[in-house]
Each structure stands twice: as structure tokens, then as C-alpha cells.
Amino acid sequence: YREAQTYVGLVLLIPTLPLVFAAVLGLQPRVALMPIPPLGQHFIILSLIRMQPLPAGYVALSVCSTLALGALLVFAAGRLYRREALLG
């Protein structure tokens, strides 16, 4: 149980690190930053809240990269769960 708590804490830290860097460094939306899923979504949400225009290409890039990463992780999880040794 304790080992699982340690891993969950680390897993939750990974998506928040880009947001911390964005806040500290004052990053603005750029093509190179939009494929990073939490960061791209952060920029989209901020632009909606501030009612600022954001290029449609940035939104498409963020959405596509998030979907691709999600599909890759689902595929990897499916492969892991096919192994009977994982289930005990």
C-alpha cells in the first residue's frame, strides 16, 4: 500500500511539472510547446478564460498530441494486462 502511494505521488507530479515551469518562466503559447499535453491544455484554457484568440492550429496540435499519447498509453496498458504474471 505504501509503495503504491509513493508511485501515485510521482505519477501526479509528472503532468504538473510543465505547468510549474510555464508559471515561473511566463511562457507564451508556441508551436513547440503545444504538443506537451498538460501545457497545451493549460494554454487553451487560459486563452478561453482571458477571451484571447488562439490559432486553430495550436488547438489542433494540442488535441492531436493528447489523443495520440492517450492511445499509446492505452495500447501499452493493454499489452501489460495481457501478461498473466502481472495479475498475480
Side-chain angles (χ1 to χ4, degrees):
Y1 180 76
R2 290 181 185 172
E3 185 178 358
Q5 282 182 326
T6 302
Y7 288 130
V8 168
L10 292 174
V11 167
L12 291 176
L13 182 66
I14 292 170
T16 58
L17 283 177
L19 301 178
V20 171
F21 287 124
V24 171
L25 299 175
L27 297 177
Q28 298 298 319
R30 293 192 318 249
V31 173
L33 298 176
M34 294 307 284
I36 304 168
L39 199 53
Q41 293 168 5
H42 171 74
F43 289 137
I44 291 170
I45 291 170
L46 281 182
S47 68
L48 288 173
I49 290 172
R50 295 177 182 165
M51 299 176 84
Q52 295 174 340
L54 190 65
Y58 285 7
V59 175
L61 186 59
S62 177
V63 169
C64 290
S65 68
T66 301
L67 288 174
L69 181 63
L72 179 69
L73 291 175
V74 165
F75 177 74
R79 300 255 333 198
L80 281 174
Y81 282 116
R82 284 187 189 152
R83 289 194 273 163
E84 292 181 21
L86 181 70
L87 300 176

Coordinates of all heavy atoms in Angstrom, one line a residue:
Y1 N 0.8 -1.2 0.0 CA 0.0 0.0 0.0 C 0.9 1.3 0.0 O 0.6 2.2 -0.7 CB -0.9 0.0 1.2 CG -1.9 1.1 1.3 CD1 -3.0 1.3 0.5 CD2 -1.6 2.2 2.2 CE1 -3.8 2.4 0.6 CE2 -2.4 3.2 2.3 CZ -3.5 3.3 1.5 OH -4.4 4.4 1.6
R2 N 1.9 1.3 0.8 CA 2.8 2.4 0.9 C 3.6 2.6 -0.4 O 3.8 3.8 -0.8 CB 3.7 2.3 2.1 CG 3.0 2.4 3.4 CD 4.0 2.3 4.5 NE 3.3 2.3 5.8 CZ 3.9 2.1 6.9 NH1 5.2 1.8 7.0 NH2 3.2 2.1 8.0
E3 N 4.0 1.5 -1.0 CA 4.7 1.6 -2.2 C 3.8 2.2 -3.3 O 4.2 3.1 -4.1 CB 5.2 0.3 -2.7 CG 6.1 0.3 -3.9 CD 6.6 -1.1 -4.2 OE1 6.3 -2.1 -3.5 OE2 7.3 -1.2 -5.2
A4 N 2.5 1.8 -3.3 CA 1.6 2.3 -4.3 C 1.4 3.8 -4.1 O 1.3 4.6 -5.1 CB 0.3 1.6 -4.2
Q5 N 1.3 4.3 -2.9 CA 1.2 5.7 -2.6 C 2.4 6.5 -3.1 O 2.2 7.6 -3.6 CB 1.0 5.9 -1.1 CG -0.3 5.6 -0.6 CD -0.5 5.9 0.9 OE1 0.5 5.8 1.7 NE2 -1.6 6.4 1.3
T6 N 3.5 5.9 -3.0 CA 4.7 6.6 -3.5 C 4.7 6.8 -5.0 O 5.0 7.8 -5.5 CB 6.0 5.8 -3.1 OG1 6.1 5.7 -1.7 CG2 7.2 6.5 -3.6
Y7 N 4.3 5.7 -5.7 CA 4.2 5.8 -7.2 C 3.1 6.7 -7.6 O 3.3 7.5 -8.6 CB 3.9 4.4 -7.8 CG 5.1 3.5 -7.7 CD1 5.1 2.2 -7.2 CD2 6.4 3.9 -8.1 CE1 6.2 1.4 -7.1 CE2 7.5 3.1 -8.1 CZ 7.4 1.8 -7.6 OH 8.5 1.0 -7.5
V8 N 2.0 6.8 -6.9 CA 0.9 7.7 -7.3 C 1.3 9.1 -7.1 O 1.0 10.0 -8.0 CB -0.4 7.4 -6.5 CG1 -1.4 8.5 -6.6 CG2 -1.0 6.1 -6.9
G9 N 2.1 9.4 -6.1 CA 2.6 10.8 -5.9 C 3.5 11.2 -7.0 O 3.4 12.3 -7.5
L10 N 4.3 10.3 -7.5 CA 5.3 10.6 -8.6 C 4.5 10.7 -9.9 O 4.8 11.6 -10.7 CB 6.3 9.5 -8.7 CG 7.3 9.4 -7.6 CD1 8.2 8.2 -7.8 CD2 8.1 10.7 -7.5
V11 N 3.5 9.9 -10.1 CA 2.7 9.9 -11.3 C 1.9 11.3 -11.4 O 1.8 11.8 -12.5 CB 1.8 8.7 -11.4 CG1 0.8 8.9 -12.5 CG2 2.6 7.5 -11.7
L12 N 1.5 11.7 -10.3 CA 0.7 13.0 -10.3 C 1.7 14.2 -10.4 O 1.3 15.3 -10.9 CB -0.1 13.2 -9.0 CG -1.2 12.2 -8.8 CD1 -1.9 12.4 -7.5 CD2 -2.3 12.4 -9.9
L13 N 2.9 14.0 -10.1 CA 3.9 15.1 -10.2 C 4.3 15.4 -11.6 O 4.5 16.5 -12.1 CB 5.1 14.8 -9.3 CG 6.2 15.9 -9.3 CD1 5.7 17.1 -8.6 CD2 7.4 15.3 -8.6
I14 N 4.4 14.3 -12.4 CA 4.8 14.4 -13.8 C 4.0 15.4 -14.7 O 4.6 16.3 -15.3 CB 4.9 13.0 -14.5 CG1 6.1 12.2 -13.8 CG2 5.2 13.1 -16.0 CD1 6.1 10.8 -14.1
P15 N 2.7 15.3 -14.7 CA 1.9 16.3 -15.5 C 1.9 17.7 -15.0 O 1.6 18.6 -15.7 CB 0.5 15.7 -15.6 CG 0.5 14.5 -14.8 CD 1.8 14.3 -14.1
T16 N 2.2 17.9 -13.7 CA 2.2 19.2 -13.2 C 3.5 20.0 -13.4 O 3.5 21.2 -13.3 CB 1.8 19.2 -11.7 OG1 2.7 18.4 -11.0 CG2 0.4 18.7 -11.4
L17 N 4.6 19.3 -13.6 CA 5.8 20.0 -13.8 C 5.9 21.0 -14.9 O 6.4 22.1 -14.8 CB 7.0 19.0 -13.9 CG 7.4 18.3 -12.6 CD1 8.5 17.3 -12.9 CD2 7.9 19.3 -11.7
P18 N 5.3 20.6 -16.1 CA 5.3 21.7 -17.2 C 4.5 22.9 -16.8 O 4.8 24.0 -17.2 CB 4.6 20.9 -18.4 CG 4.8 19.5 -18.1 CD 4.8 19.3 -16.6
L19 N 3.4 22.7 -16.0 CA 2.6 23.9 -15.6 C 3.4 24.8 -14.7 O 3.3 26.0 -14.7 CB 1.3 23.4 -15.0 CG 0.4 22.5 -15.8 CD1 -0.8 22.1 -15.1 CD2 0.1 23.2 -17.1
V20 N 4.2 24.2 -13.8 CA 5.0 25.0 -12.9 C 6.0 25.8 -13.7 O 6.2 27.0 -13.4 CB 5.7 24.1 -11.8 CG1 6.7 24.8 -11.0 CG2 4.7 23.4 -10.9
F21 N 6.7 25.1 -14.6 CA 7.6 25.8 -15.5 C 7.0 27.0 -16.3 O 7.5 28.0 -16.4 CB 8.4 24.9 -16.4 CG 9.4 24.0 -15.7 CD1 9.3 22.6 -15.8 CD2 10.4 24.6 -15.0 CE1 10.2 21.8 -15.2 CE2 11.3 23.8 -14.3 CZ 11.2 22.4 -14.4
A22 N 5.8 26.7 -16.8 CA 5.0 27.8 -17.5 C 4.7 29.0 -16.6 O 4.9 30.1 -17.1 CB 3.8 27.2 -18.1
A23 N 4.4 28.7 -15.4 CA 4.0 29.8 -14.5 C 5.3 30.6 -14.1 O 5.3 31.8 -14.1 CB 3.3 29.3 -13.3
V24 N 6.4 29.9 -13.8 CA 7.6 30.5 -13.3 C 8.3 31.3 -14.4 O 8.7 32.4 -14.2 CB 8.5 29.5 -12.7 CG1 9.9 30.1 -12.4 CG2 7.9 28.9 -11.4
L25 N 8.3 30.7 -15.6 CA 9.0 31.3 -16.7 C 8.2 32.3 -17.5 O 8.7 33.0 -18.4 CB 9.6 30.2 -17.6 CG 10.6 29.3 -17.0 CD1 11.0 28.2 -18.0 CD2 11.8 30.1 -16.5
G26 N 6.9 32.3 -17.3 CA 6.0 33.2 -18.0 C 5.9 32.8 -19.5 O 5.9 33.7 -20.4
L27 N 5.8 31.5 -19.8 CA 5.8 31.0 -21.2 C 4.5 31.4 -21.9 O 3.4 31.5 -21.3 CB 5.9 29.5 -21.2 CG 7.2 28.9 -20.6 CD1 7.1 27.4 -20.7 CD2 8.4 29.4 -21.4
Q28 N 4.6 31.7 -23.1 CA 3.5 32.0 -24.0 C 3.3 30.9 -25.0 O 4.2 30.1 -25.3 CB 3.8 33.3 -24.8 CG 4.0 34.5 -23.9 CD 2.8 34.8 -23.1 OE1 1.6 34.8 -23.6 NE2 2.9 35.2 -21.8
P29 N 2.1 30.7 -25.5 CA 1.8 29.6 -26.5 C 2.7 29.7 -27.7 O 2.9 30.8 -28.3 CB 0.4 29.8 -26.9 CG -0.2 30.7 -25.8 CD 0.9 31.5 -25.2
R30 N 3.4 28.6 -28.0 CA 4.2 28.5 -29.2 C 4.0 27.1 -29.8 O 3.6 26.2 -29.1 CB 5.7 28.7 -28.9 CG 6.1 30.0 -28.4 CD 7.6 30.2 -28.4 NE 8.3 29.1 -27.8 CZ 8.9 29.1 -26.7 NH1 8.9 30.2 -25.9 NH2 9.6 28.1 -26.3
V31 N 4.4 26.9 -31.0 CA 4.2 25.6 -31.7 C 5.0 24.5 -31.0 O 4.5 23.4 -30.8 CB 4.6 25.7 -33.2 CG1 4.6 24.3 -33.8 CG2 3.7 26.7 -33.9
A32 N 6.1 24.8 -30.5 CA 7.0 23.8 -29.8 C 6.4 23.4 -28.5 O 6.7 22.3 -28.0 CB 8.4 24.4 -29.6
L33 N 5.6 24.2 -27.8 CA 5.0 23.9 -26.5 C 3.7 23.2 -26.6 O 3.3 22.6 -25.6 CB 4.9 25.1 -25.6 CG 6.3 25.8 -25.4 CD1 6.0 27.1 -24.6 CD2 7.2 24.9 -24.6
M34 N 2.9 23.4 -27.6 CA 1.6 22.9 -27.7 C 1.5 21.4 -27.7 O 0.5 20.9 -27.2 CB 0.8 23.5 -28.9 CG 0.6 25.0 -28.8 SD -0.2 25.6 -27.3 CE -1.9 25.1 -27.6
P35 N 2.4 20.6 -28.3 CA 2.3 19.2 -28.2 C 2.4 18.6 -26.8 O 2.1 17.4 -26.6 CB 3.4 18.7 -29.1 CG 3.8 19.8 -30.0 CD 3.5 21.0 -29.2
I36 N 2.9 19.3 -25.9 CA 3.0 18.8 -24.5 C 1.6 18.8 -23.9 O 1.1 19.9 -23.6 CB 4.0 19.6 -23.7 CG1 5.4 19.6 -24.4 CG2 4.1 19.1 -22.2 CD1 6.3 20.6 -23.8
P37 N 0.9 17.7 -23.7 CA -0.5 17.7 -23.3 C -0.9 18.6 -22.2 O -1.8 19.4 -22.4 CB -0.8 16.2 -23.0 CG 0.2 15.5 -23.9 CD 1.4 16.3 -23.9
P38 N -0.3 18.5 -21.0 CA -0.8 19.4 -19.9 C -0.6 20.9 -20.2 O -1.4 21.8 -19.9 CB -0.1 19.0 -18.7 CG 0.8 17.9 -19.0 CD 0.7 17.6 -20.5
L39 N 0.5 21.2 -20.9 CA 0.9 22.6 -21.2 C 0.0 23.1 -22.3 O -0.5 24.3 -22.2 CB 2.4 22.6 -21.6 CG 3.1 24.0 -21.5 CD1 2.9 24.6 -20.2 CD2 4.5 23.8 -21.9
G40 N -0.2 22.3 -23.3 CA -1.1 22.8 -24.4 C -2.5 23.0 -23.9 O -3.2 24.1 -24.2
Q41 N -3.0 22.2 -23.0 CA -4.4 22.3 -22.5 C -4.4 23.6 -21.6 O -5.4 24.3 -21.5 CB -4.8 21.1 -21.7 CG -5.0 19.9 -22.6 CD -5.1 18.6 -21.9 OE1 -5.2 18.6 -20.7 NE2 -5.2 17.5 -22.7
H42 N -3.3 23.8 -20.8 CA -3.2 25.0 -20.0 C -3.3 26.3 -20.8 O -4.1 27.2 -20.4 CB -1.9 24.9 -19.2 CG -1.5 26.1 -18.5 ND1 -2.1 26.5 -17.3 CD2 -0.6 27.1 -18.7 CE1 -1.6 27.6 -16.8 NE2 -0.7 28.0 -17.7
F43 N -2.6 26.3 -21.9 CA -2.7 27.5 -22.8 C -4.1 27.7 -23.4 O -4.6 28.8 -23.5 CB -1.6 27.4 -23.9 CG -0.2 27.6 -23.4 CD1 0.8 26.8 -23.9 CD2 0.1 28.6 -22.5 CE1 2.1 26.9 -23.5 CE2 1.4 28.7 -22.1 CZ 2.4 27.9 -22.6
I44 N -4.7 26.6 -23.7 CA -6.1 26.7 -24.3 C -7.0 27.2 -23.3 O -7.8 28.1 -23.5 CB -6.5 25.3 -24.9 CG1 -5.7 25.0 -26.1 CG2 -8.0 25.4 -25.2 CD1 -5.9 23.6 -26.6
I45 N -7.0 26.7 -22.1 CA -7.9 27.1 -21.0 C -7.7 28.6 -20.6 O -8.6 29.3 -20.5 CB -7.8 26.2 -19.8 CG1 -8.3 24.8 -20.1 CG2 -8.5 26.8 -18.6 CD1 -8.0 23.8 -19.1
L46 N -6.4 29.0 -20.5 CA -6.1 30.4 -20.2 C -6.6 31.3 -21.3 O -7.1 32.4 -21.0 CB -4.6 30.6 -20.0 CG -4.0 30.2 -18.7 CD1 -2.5 30.5 -18.6 CD2 -4.8 30.8 -17.5
S47 N -6.4 30.9 -22.6 CA -6.9 31.8 -23.6 C -8.4 31.9 -23.6 O -9.0 33.0 -23.9 CB -6.4 31.3 -25.0 OG -7.0 30.1 -25.3
L48 N -9.1 30.8 -23.3 CA -10.6 30.9 -23.1 C -11.0 31.8 -22.0 O -12.0 32.6 -22.1 CB -11.2 29.5 -23.0 CG -11.1 28.6 -24.2 CD1 -11.6 27.2 -23.9 CD2 -12.0 29.2 -25.3
I49 N -10.3 31.6 -20.8 CA -10.7 32.4 -19.7 C -10.5 33.9 -19.9 O -11.3 34.8 -19.6 CB -9.9 32.0 -18.4 CG1 -10.4 30.6 -18.0 CG2 -10.0 33.0 -17.3 CD1 -9.6 30.0 -16.9
R50 N -9.3 34.2 -20.6 CA -9.0 35.6 -20.8 C -9.6 36.2 -22.1 O -9.5 37.3 -22.5 CB -7.5 35.7 -21.0 CG -6.7 35.4 -19.7 CD -5.2 35.5 -20.0 NE -4.5 35.2 -18.7 CZ -3.2 34.9 -18.7 NH1 -2.5 34.9 -19.8 NH2 -2.7 34.6 -17.6
M51 N -10.4 35.3 -22.8 CA -11.0 35.7 -24.1 C -10.0 36.2 -25.1 O -10.3 37.2 -25.8 CB -12.2 36.6 -23.8 CG -13.2 36.1 -22.9 SD -14.5 37.2 -22.5 CE -15.6 37.0 -23.9
Q52 N -8.9 35.5 -25.2 CA -7.9 35.9 -26.1 C -7.9 34.9 -27.3 O -8.2 33.7 -27.1 CB -6.5 35.9 -25.5 CG -6.3 36.9 -24.4 CD -4.9 36.7 -23.7 OE1 -4.3 35.6 -23.8 NE2 -4.5 37.7 -23.0
P53 N -7.6 35.4 -28.5 CA -7.6 34.4 -29.6 C -6.4 33.5 -29.6 O -5.3 33.9 -29.1 CB -7.6 35.4 -30.8 CG -7.0 36.6 -30.3 CD -7.4 36.7 -28.9
L54 N -6.6 32.3 -30.0 CA -5.6 31.3 -30.0 C -5.7 30.7 -31.4 O -6.8 30.2 -31.8 CB -5.7 30.3 -28.9 CG -4.6 29.3 -28.7 CD1 -3.3 30.0 -28.3 CD2 -4.9 28.2 -27.7
P55 N -4.6 30.6 -32.2 CA -4.7 30.0 -33.5 C -5.3 28.6 -33.5 O -5.0 27.8 -32.6 CB -3.3 30.0 -34.0 CG -2.6 31.1 -33.2 CD -3.3 31.1 -31.9
A56 N -6.1 28.3 -34.4 CA -6.8 27.0 -34.5 C -5.7 25.9 -34.7 O -5.9 24.7 -34.2 CB -7.7 26.9 -35.7
G57 N -4.6 26.2 -35.3 CA -3.5 25.2 -35.5 C -3.0 24.8 -34.1 O -2.6 23.6 -33.9
Y58 N -2.9 25.7 -33.2 CA -2.4 25.4 -31.9 C -3.3 24.4 -31.2 O -2.9 23.5 -30.5 CB -2.2 26.6 -31.0 CG -1.0 27.5 -31.4 CD1 -0.2 27.2 -32.5 CD2 -0.7 28.6 -30.6 CE1 0.9 28.0 -32.8 CE2 0.4 29.4 -30.9 CZ 1.2 29.1 -32.0 OH 2.2 29.9 -32.3
V59 N -4.6 24.7 -31.3 CA -5.6 23.9 -30.6 C -5.6 22.5 -31.2 O -5.6 21.5 -30.5 CB -7.0 24.5 -30.7 CG1 -8.1 23.6 -30.2 CG2 -7.1 25.9 -30.0
A60 N -5.5 22.4 -32.6 CA -5.5 21.1 -33.2 C -4.2 20.3 -32.9 O -4.3 19.1 -32.6 CB -5.5 21.3 -34.8
L61 N -3.1 21.0 -32.8 CA -1.9 20.3 -32.4 C -2.0 19.8 -31.0 O -1.5 18.6 -30.7 CB -0.7 21.3 -32.5 CG 0.7 20.8 -32.3 CD1 1.0 19.7 -33.2 CD2 1.7 21.9 -32.4
S62 N -2.5 20.6 -30.1 CA -2.7 20.1 -28.7 C -3.6 18.9 -28.6 O -3.3 17.9 -27.9 CB -3.2 21.2 -27.8 OG -3.4 20.8 -26.5
V63 N -4.8 19.0 -29.3 CA -5.7 17.9 -29.2 C -5.2 16.6 -29.8 O -5.3 15.5 -29.3 CB -7.0 18.3 -30.0 CG1 -8.0 17.2 -30.2 CG2 -7.8 19.4 -29.2
C64 N -4.5 16.8 -31.0 CA -4.0 15.6 -31.6 C -2.9 14.9 -30.8 O -2.8 13.7 -30.7 CB -3.5 15.9 -33.0 SG -4.8 16.3 -34.2
S65 N -2.0 15.7 -30.2 CA -0.9 15.1 -29.4 C -1.5 14.5 -28.2 O -1.0 13.4 -27.8 CB 0.1 16.2 -29.1 OG -0.4 17.1 -28.2
T66 N -2.5 15.1 -27.6 CA -3.1 14.4 -26.4 C -3.8 13.1 -26.7 O -3.6 12.1 -26.0 CB -4.1 15.4 -25.7 OG1 -3.4 16.6 -25.4 CG2 -4.7 14.8 -24.5
L67 N -4.5 13.1 -27.8 CA -5.2 11.9 -28.3 C -4.1 10.8 -28.6 O -4.3 9.6 -28.3 CB -6.1 12.1 -29.5 CG -7.4 12.9 -29.1 CD1 -8.1 13.2 -30.4 CD2 -8.2 12.1 -28.2
A68 N -3.1 11.2 -29.3 CA -2.0 10.2 -29.7 C -1.3 9.6 -28.4 O -1.1 8.4 -28.4 CB -1.0 10.9 -30.6
L69 N -1.0 10.5 -27.5 CA -0.4 10.0 -26.2 C -1.4 9.1 -25.5 O -1.0 8.0 -24.9 CB 0.0 11.1 -25.3 CG 0.7 10.7 -24.0 CD1 2.0 10.0 -24.3 CD2 1.0 12.0 -23.2
G70 N -2.6 9.4 -25.4 CA -3.6 8.6 -24.8 C -3.8 7.2 -25.4 O -3.8 6.2 -24.8
A71 N -3.8 7.2 -26.7 CA -3.9 6.0 -27.5 C -2.6 5.1 -27.2 O -2.8 3.9 -27.0 CB -4.1 6.2 -29.0
L72 N -1.5 5.7 -27.2 CA -0.3 5.0 -26.9 C -0.3 4.4 -25.5 O 0.1 3.2 -25.3 CB 0.9 5.9 -27.1 CG 2.3 5.3 -26.8 CD1 2.7 4.3 -27.9 CD2 3.4 6.4 -26.8
L73 N -0.7 5.1 -24.6 CA -0.8 4.6 -23.2 C -1.8 3.5 -23.0 O -1.6 2.6 -22.3 CB -1.0 5.8 -22.2 CG 0.1 6.8 -22.1 CD1 -0.3 7.9 -21.2 CD2 1.4 6.1 -21.5
V74 N -2.9 3.6 -23.7 CA -4.0 2.6 -23.7 C -3.4 1.3 -24.3 O -3.6 0.2 -23.8 CB -5.3 3.0 -24.4 CG1 -6.2 1.9 -24.6 CG2 -6.0 4.1 -23.5
F75 N -2.7 1.5 -25.4 CA -2.1 0.3 -26.0 C -1.1 -0.4 -25.1 O -1.0 -1.6 -25.0 CB -1.4 0.7 -27.4 CG -0.7 -0.4 -28.1 CD1 -1.4 -1.4 -28.7 CD2 0.7 -0.4 -28.0 CE1 -0.7 -2.4 -29.4 CE2 1.4 -1.4 -28.7 CZ 0.7 -2.4 -29.4
A76 N -0.2 0.5 -24.5 CA 0.8 -0.1 -23.6 C 0.1 -0.8 -22.4 O 0.6 -1.9 -21.9 CB 1.7 1.0 -23.1
A77 N -0.9 -0.2 -21.8 CA -1.6 -0.8 -20.7 C -2.2 -2.1 -21.1 O -2.2 -3.1 -20.4 CB -2.7 0.1 -20.1
G78 N -2.8 -2.2 -22.3 CA -3.4 -3.4 -22.8 C -2.4 -4.5 -23.0 O -2.6 -5.7 -22.6
R79 N -1.2 -4.2 -23.4 CA -0.1 -5.2 -23.6 C 0.3 -5.7 -22.2 O 0.6 -6.8 -22.1 CB 1.0 -4.6 -24.3 CG 0.7 -4.1 -25.7 CD 1.2 -4.9 -26.8 NE 2.4 -5.7 -26.5 CZ 3.1 -6.3 -27.4 NH1 2.9 -6.0 -28.7 NH2 4.1 -7.0 -27.1
L80 N 0.4 -4.8 -21.2 CA 0.8 -5.2 -19.9 C -0.2 -6.1 -19.3 O 0.2 -7.1 -18.6 CB 1.0 -3.9 -19.0 CG 2.3 -3.2 -19.2 CD1 2.3 -1.9 -18.4 CD2 3.5 -4.0 -18.8
Y81 N -1.5 -5.8 -19.4 CA -2.5 -6.6 -18.8 C -2.7 -8.0 -19.5 O -3.4 -8.8 -19.0 CB -3.8 -5.9 -18.7 CG -3.8 -4.9 -17.6 CD1 -3.9 -3.5 -17.8 CD2 -3.7 -5.3 -16.2 CE1 -3.9 -2.6 -16.7 CE2 -3.6 -4.4 -15.2 CZ -3.8 -3.1 -15.4 OH -3.7 -2.2 -14.4
R82 N -2.2 -8.2 -20.7 CA -2.2 -9.5 -21.3 C -1.4 -10.5 -20.7 O -1.6 -11.7 -20.8 CB -1.8 -9.4 -22.8 CG -2.9 -8.8 -23.6 CD -2.5 -8.8 -25.1 NE -3.5 -8.0 -25.9 CZ -3.2 -7.5 -27.0 NH1 -2.1 -7.6 -27.5 NH2 -4.2 -6.8 -27.6
R83 N -0.3 -10.0 -20.0 CA 0.6 -10.9 -19.3 C -0.1 -11.4 -18.0 O -0.5 -10.6 -17.2 CB 1.9 -10.2 -18.9 CG 2.7 -10.0 -20.2 CD 4.1 -9.6 -19.8 NE 4.2 -8.2 -19.6 CZ 5.2 -7.6 -18.9 NH1 6.1 -8.3 -18.4 NH2 5.2 -6.3 -18.8
E84 N -0.2 -12.7 -17.8 CA -0.8 -13.2 -16.6 C 0.0 -13.0 -15.4 O -0.5 -12.9 -14.3 CB -1.0 -14.7 -16.8 CG -2.1 -15.0 -17.9 CD -2.3 -16.5 -18.0 OE1 -2.0 -17.2 -17.1 OE2 -2.9 -16.9 -19.1
A85 N 1.3 -12.8 -15.5 CA 2.2 -12.6 -14.3 C 1.9 -11.3 -13.6 O 2.0 -11.2 -12.4 CB 3.7 -12.6 -14.8
L86 N 1.4 -10.3 -14.4 CA 1.0 -9.0 -13.8 C -0.2 -9.1 -12.9 O -0.3 -8.5 -11.9 CB 0.7 -8.0 -14.9 CG 0.4 -6.6 -14.5 CD1 1.6 -6.0 -13.9 CD2 -0.2 -5.8 -15.6
L87 N -1.1 -10.0 -13.2 CA -2.3 -10.1 -12.4 C -2.1 -11.0 -11.1 O -3.0 -11.0 -10.3 CB -3.4 -10.8 -13.3 CG -3.8 -10.0 -14.5 CD1 -4.8 -10.7 -15.4 CD2 -4.3 -8.6 -14.2
G88 N -1.0 -11.6 -11.0 CA -0.7 -12.3 -9.8 C -0.9 -13.7 -9.9 O -1.0 -14.6 -9.2

